[in-house]
Amino acid sequence: MRTLFFAEMWERFSYYGMRAILVLFMVTPAEQGGLGFTTAEAAVVYGNYTMAVYMLAIPGGFIADRWLGATRAVLIGGVIIALGHFTLAFHGAATFYIGLALVALGTGLFKPSISALVGSLYARDDERRDAGFSIFYMGINIGAFLAPLVTGYLAQGLGFKAGLAAAGFDAGSSWHFGFAAAGIGMAIGLAIFVRQTGLFEAAEAASRIGDGDDSDAPHDATAWRDTIAIVVGTGVLAAMMVVSDWPGYAWLRTMVLSAPLLLIVWFATRPEVEQRRIAAILVFFLAAMIFWAIFEQAGLSIALFADRLTLNEMAGRSFPSAWYLALNSLFVILLAPLFAALWLRMGGSQPSSPVKFALGLGFLASSFLLMVPAALLTAAGKVSPLWLVGLYFLQTVGELLLSPVGLSTMTKLAPVRATGLVLGIWFLGSAFGNKLAGVLGAKFQSTDAEALSQFFLEQAVFVGVAALVLLAMTPLVKKWMGGVR
């Protein structure tokens, strides 16, 4: 377990380290080492990239299950991720897009597979199973906490830039040192993992035998057909979302994102309990999609607000704006044990899953509502960092009410033979949410305080209304859940 803890910690270090500086690098003028994108152009790239990271987990997880095995998928995925980060370390438009594509492809293999390996270490009825996943989740957040601190300093730190200039390097190349640091983090994670591959392959094989899964049997035409169908289906869906950014094609995005509403009506009217539970799953899917559409602007509109409109000083010393992204993981580390203790203490009297989801959306709405007066204050100059500390605190409370609860609820509602499919739907909700984060964040601008306050207010109202709708639907959703709490 220790090996998986550190491997995932370093993989998340690489992902969140790169994400912390990605948009800032894109919008930085070319003469300062960036790409010189407009905010709208950077938002499109950010939304499509983060969407791909989550969407590719669906075919990635399937290929790992049916063809590679989780251990080999983690190794191959990790190598591809590291290559992607090191490609980003070279300046150029071509290396930039190739690097993003490699990181997304590698993460699609790595992310679901390493979670599967954690599960393979424990029998289904092993009392240590939940504790093992809790430790694993802590590794994720430690990596995500450390990453912006390191890559943010390398990319934006005035001291580091001065050191580069003194050594005869272009200070603008500091961005690529940040990307390289993310690659080094992934390489460290791989080195830790490689030392124990034999152990994980044995545990994986034992887990398959225990579940009656003969994955080592020769693959037939059905296996090839299913693989091609999932890969092509995912590719078509991703292409539709990308094309929806083109002028005149926004209707494609509306069509894709409206489909769950029609499916909810269809499954809710079915007589079988399992089919009505699918309606409840899709309600949670939509709620999660809306949540991530606002939450994932941490790397986009909130990152730009932090960089351009916030007084980034502490005790008279300046610090990189990317450091704010470490706050979410810090709050998760501090608050997660309190939430776990709260749910244990409340026992059967704790709120139902729909209510927790609605509360999560409510806290998220309040975080953007908090930014309305902060935006108005920017008319007089840069604002205090405490506004962003408050935003990240409220968002983390919302995350802890929704994210772990959602994952647990999906596994309880899923039909016995379709757990993997339902978890794929959950990942798809994150993918669509990240895509919408790019769409919404494209409207961010930092020169008009009134327009900026309206930007935050509109999104706060959007999420707040979604929270109220879900709260009103709670009795109906609980009925569709068929006794599952």
Side-chain angles (χ1 to χ4, degrees), residues 114-188:
I114 197 166
S115 298
L117 281 181
V118 176
S120 72
L121 297 178
Y122 305 95
R124 290 187 179 273
D125 57 352
D126 192 327
E127 294 181 354
R128 300 172 298 168
R129 189 180 182 91
D130 286 351
F133 272 99
S134 297
I135 294 170
F136 181 72
Y137 190 64
M138 191 62 69
I140 292 173
N141 284 285
I142 291 173
F145 169 70
L146 294 174
L149 302 181
V150 175
T151 62
Y153 174 73
L154 294 175
Q156 296 180 292
L158 297 179
F160 185 72
K161 286 178 178 288
L164 284 178
F169 292 97
D170 178 9
S173 67
S174 61
W175 296 101
H176 301 289
F177 283 85
F179 292 130
I184 292 170
M186 186 66 254
I188 293 172

Side-chain angles (χ1 to χ4, degrees), residues 261-270 275 279:
L261 292 172
L262 300 176
L263 291 172
I264 287 171
V265 174
W266 168 262
F267 283 109
T269 57
R270 299 300 92 193
Q275 290 185 318

Side-chain angles (χ1 to χ4, degrees), residues 9-21:
M9 184 189 81
W10 284 110
E11 185 275 331
R12 290 290 87 185
F13 175 94
S14 74
Y15 176 76
Y16 284 105
M18 186 268 275
R19 174 178 170 268
I21 61 175

